[in-house]
Amino acid sequence: MIQLALGFVTSHPGVTSALIGPRAPDHLNAQLAAAETVLTTDVLDAIDSIVAPGTDLAAHEKNDTPPALLDPSLRRR
C-alpha cells in the first residue's frame, strides 16, 4: 500500500515532495523503496474511477480549494 500511496501522491504535478513518517527501520526501508514507484496511466485511471479527481471527502474541514482541484489542466491530464 505504501508504494501505491506514494506513487499516487508524487504523480500529481503540484506535489513537490511526499512526507513519510516511519516508526521503525523496516518502515523507513519500505518507504524509501516506494520513492521510485511510478504508477501507470491504467492504475491512475482505476484510482480516478473509485474517487474522481476533485472530489472532496472532508469539505467541512477546509477553508479553501487548491487551484489544482479547480482547474483540470493542472492535474495529470
Side-chain angles (χ1 to χ4, degrees), residues 3 16 55 58 61:
Q3 289 88 355
T16 58
T55 301
E61 292 183 0

Side-chain angles (χ1 to χ4, degrees), residues 3-69:
Q3 289 88 355
L4 179 65
L6 289 175
F8 179 77
V9 168
T10 57
S11 72
H12 192 289
V15 174
T16 58
S17 63
L19 300 178
I20 60 172
R23 291 183 176 197
D26 55 325
H27 296 165
L28 176 62
N29 293 333
Q31 292 171 3
L32 292 176
E36 301 300 321
T37 300
V38 176
L39 300 180
T40 64
T41 301
D42 292 345
V43 172
L44 292 169
D45 287 343
I47 294 169
D48 287 351
S49 72
I50 296 167
V51 179
T55 301
D56 192 346
L57 300 176
H60 64 283
E61 292 183 0
K62 62 186 222 178
N63 299 317
D64 67 340
T65 302
L69 295 181

